[in-house]
Amino acid sequence: MSAQISNILQQAISHHQQGKLAAAEALYLQVLQTQPEHFDALQLLGVIAKQRGDAALAVTRLRQAIAIDAQQAIAHGNLGTALQDLGLSQEALASYDMALQLKPDYAMAWNNRGNTLRSMGKLPAALHNYDKALRLNPRYTEALLNRGIAQQEMDEHQQALQDFDEALTLTPQDAAIHFARAFSLQCLRLYEDAIAGYEVVLHLQAGHTQALCNRGICLQKMQQFSAAVESFERAIKIKPDYVKAHLQYGNTLRQMGRDDAAIAAYQTASNHCNDDAELAQINYALAAMGVIDTPAMSPAVYIADLFDQYATHFDEHLLEVLHYQIPALLSKAVSKHVKAEPGNYLDLGCGTGLCAAYLRPKASKLTGIDLSEKMLGQARKTGLYDELHCAEISDWLQLQDQDFDLIIAADVFVYIGDLNQVFAAASRVMQAEAVFGFSVETTHESADYILRSSQRYAHSYAYLQRLAQLHGFQIVEASQEIARQDKGEDVHAHILVMIKT
């Protein structure tokens, strides 16, 4: 390399390190005019392209560099991150593997390989890669943060906090670490500590809209509604198209009884929303407010998100706060009608497994279905189920070639308005004398079902009678009970037991 080229390259690297990307790029290109196959210039141009968000150009330039010298681990490592930005996870892993084959102690490649695995949902494998990076460099702040985030995603928040705290001893002014730490505290329902953490984030980065939104959610959980509203409004002022903030703003206003303002917030969220699943949740909230037509059922993503959030404290909240009675009431009702010998039992919307203790003693096989992976994780810990499946009820039932002696659905149909498909699917997998027991919230309105402002459906008894007759069931027991409490008021439910004829 000539002295002139060397000097130009050093100037370019100096500019690059100072964040002067345009000046660095111009000098790298000047090097290439003289030496078109200059590895460092091509490789570093690839890095600049990635920094600018042009992953496709980054891949092109990095592959050009590798074609010149395939023995440089750094180029393979950088190619991996660019490929990951394009969503090409398997190709990214292959690039990291090549980098690590050339340089086994390449801590950054282990960390970035962990990020790719985490994006693929392979969390234990991701943790293994972060561990490798940290064994090579125990003071690797980014790897500590990433390992903590992976543990967050596994609901291991106490372990995550240990990593975040250690990372903060190394870089105490890092807003990303403070944010991740606050989020784990929020997930642990340590709302005051979480709010304090988000305040630190906002001190370091005043326009951090996610911190403002999450701060608002914590305040909402603490029923400090006015302060929550202020936090959402700050986030929206900075980012007017922030759909999540508008949605949570609407939820808070609804809890305050400010229905018109809540509807306006939901409508604004809808206007900015480009995600079909998120839009379904917003429209569901509007339907519950009576603004648009009632959908046939709750959006699957709404149910999954709702119960994923509840999973770790669901039983405590239902039993101690809401005085939830349905599993005991329903299990007692169906026990009078099931056959004496053990049978094949199905728990629809099984949640954390509150019905399992009642069903297990008489079940030869007990299967649970739910839309929330995290609820199923809690159900799995009971050890009472033979099988657990994450699926939508009707879809799963349609695929079965087995018959069930008992199907039970405790507080599940409050998230399904039109029950015709569920009844048809259940009837298909039940022989004569099989038992179908479930609960629904009551309504005395003439409609078959209504969607309440609580975002839960209520069904008329006349509708349930028609469905039973249509799908070959006979009602053998029906009662009205107090299912739970909501804001201090009793919520009434029908407890029904049907026999397949």
Side-chain angles (χ1 to χ4, degrees):
M1 184 189 303
S2 71
Q4 182 182 11
I5 292 295
S6 180
N7 285 335
I8 294 171
L9 187 65
Q10 289 306 313
Q11 289 177 47
I13 291 171
S14 177
H15 286 313
H16 199 163
Q17 289 171 339
Q18 295 172 52
K20 299 175 181 177
L21 300 187
E25 182 180 43
L27 291 171
Y28 291 140
L29 290 170
Q30 187 177 335
V31 170
L32 291 177
Q33 287 176 352
T34 304
Q35 293 187 18
E37 295 191 346
H38 194 291
F39 171 85
D40 287 329
L42 281 167
Q43 200 269 141
L44 291 167
L45 279 170
V47 172
I48 285 180
K50 183 183 180 306
Q51 288 175 298
R52 285 177 168 163
D54 191 344
L57 178 59
V59 167
T60 298
R61 285 175 166 169
L62 288 163
R63 282 179 169 159
Q64 289 172 338
I66 289 168
I68 294 164
D69 186 352
Q71 300 304 305
Q72 298 294 324
I74 190 171
H76 291 285
N78 287 330
L79 177 59
T81 60
L83 289 165
Q84 178 57 31
D85 287 347
L86 291 173
L88 301 172
S89 299
Q90 292 296 344
E91 291 184 44
L93 289 177
S95 289
Y96 293 132
D97 289 344
M98 181 58 72
L100 290 165
Q101 183 178 326
L102 293 166
K103 184 176 169 58
D105 62 349
Y106 193 176
M108 185 180 293
W110 283 113
N111 173 71
N112 292 342
R113 191 174 190 278
N115 290 342
T116 299
L117 290 163
R118 178 159 57 87
S119 75
M120 298 168 72
K122 298 181 178 180
L123 298 177
L127 287 178
H128 174 72
N129 280 248
Y130 297 135
D131 288 344
K132 285 269 196 180
L134 287 163
R135 277 197 289 272
L136 292 165
N137 180 6
R139 297 176 62 81
Y140 193 171
T141 305
E142 187 180 342
L144 284 166
L145 172 60
N146 290 330
R147 187 170 70 178
I149 292 171
Q151 289 170 147
Q152 260 183 359
E153 293 177 11
M154 297 172 74
D155 282 333
E156 301 291 349
H157 292 286
Q158 294 291 356
Q159 291 91 323
L161 287 171
Q162 292 177 22
D163 276 343
F164 299 144
D165 287 341
E166 186 175 348
L168 286 172
T169 64
L170 300 171
T171 52
Q173 301 301 305
D174 190 307
I177 302 170
H178 281 287
F179 179 84
R181 183 178 182 276
F183 184 68
S184 273
L185 291 167
Q186 178 180 340
C187 292
L188 291 167
R189 295 181 295 144
L190 299 170
Y191 297 125
E192 290 186 3
D193 292 337
I195 290 168
Y198 290 130
E199 294 287 1
V200 174
V201 176
L202 292 165
H203 175 73
L204 294 168
Q205 194 174 327
H208 199 300
T209 53
Q210 283 183 287
L212 283 166
C213 188
N214 285 5
R215 177 179 176 272
I217 292 169
C218 291
L219 289 162
Q220 179 196 80
K221 295 287 188 183
M222 297 171 68
Q223 299 193 340
Q224 296 182 23
F225 297 130
S226 295
V229 161
E230 182 269 340
S231 203
F232 295 131
E233 288 175 343
R234 284 174 60 191
I236 290 165
K237 185 176 181 180
I238 296 166
K239 187 178 180 183
D241 62 350
Y242 192 0
V243 173
K244 181 181 177 182
H246 285 291
L247 178 58
Q248 293 295 337
Y249 184 41
N251 290 342
T252 306
L253 292 166
R254 179 172 56 83
Q255 288 179 279
M256 297 171 76
R258 296 172 57 186
D259 289 358
D260 290 345
I263 290 167
Y266 291 140
Q267 289 172 331
T268 304
S270 177
N271 292 338
H272 289 298
C273 187
N274 297 313
D275 180 88
D276 289 343
E278 200 167 32
L279 185 59
Q281 293 189 63
I282 296 164
N283 286 338
Y284 185 62
L286 285 167
M289 302 289 287
V291 177
I292 61 176
D293 291 341
T294 300
M297 65 185 299
S298 308
V301 68
Y302 166 80
I303 299 170
D305 287 351
L306 177 67
F307 289 103
D308 278 352
Q309 293 173 38
Y310 263 123
T312 56
H313 62 286
F314 181 75
D315 295 3
E316 174 190 342
H317 181 71
L318 281 182
L319 300 176
E320 297 181 15
V321 178
L322 301 181
H323 306 293
Y324 183 56
Q325 301 295 319
I326 291 296
L329 293 168
L330 185 55
S331 299
K332 181 179 178 181
V334 299
S335 68
K336 304 172 190 174
H337 302 280
V338 293
K339 294 178 180 178
E341 62 270 20
N344 187 14
Y345 291 0
L346 176 61
D347 187 359
L348 297 179
C350 63
T352 58
L354 288 174
C355 286
Y358 300 101
L359 301 177
R360 181 74 265 181
K362 294 188 71 175
S364 58
K365 178 183 177 183
L366 179 58
T367 302
I369 311 294
D370 204 276
L371 273 171
S372 167
E373 288 279 11
K374 292 185 178 180
M375 295 289 268
L376 289 171
Q378 297 298 314
R380 195 168 286 113
K381 291 177 183 178
T382 69
L384 296 174
Y385 291 92
D386 297 292
E387 292 182 8
L388 288 164
H389 301 276
C390 188
E392 193 278 323
I393 288 169
S394 297
D395 292 345
W396 188 85
L397 285 170
Q398 293 288 355
L399 298 175
Q400 299 311 301
D401 58 2
Q402 60 183 310
D403 290 319
F404 295 97
D405 300 299
L406 168 66
I407 296 180
I408 193 169
D411 212 34
V412 177
F413 296 160
V414 295
Y415 298 105
I416 305 173
D418 184 349
L419 293 172
N420 185 61
Q421 188 176 353
V422 175
F423 269 63
S427 180
R428 193 185 73 82
V429 294
M430 300 174 78
Q431 297 292 329
E433 299 185 17
V435 177
F436 185 24
F438 59 89
S439 66
V440 295
E441 290 188 7
T442 62
T443 177
H444 299 295
E445 296 188 23
S446 58
D448 292 344
Y449 57 88
I450 62 169
L451 178 59
R452 290 180 163 151
S453 61
S454 63
Q455 300 188 10
R456 293 161 63 94
Y457 291 93
H459 298 82
S460 72
Y461 187 69
Y463 175 54
L464 301 171
Q465 287 178 307
R466 291 203 317 276
L467 285 174
Q469 185 174 14
L470 179 64
H471 294 289
F473 292 103
Q474 177 187 357
I475 299 174
V476 293
E477 187 163 338
S479 63
Q480 278 198 37
E481 307 285 352
I482 297 172
R484 61 187 180 91
Q485 290 190 320
D486 186 15
K487 298 178 183 177
E489 296 185 2
D490 291 339
V491 176
H492 294 271
H494 290 298
I495 303 289
L496 280 91
V497 180
M498 301 181 177
I499 302 291
K500 180 70 185 295
T501 57

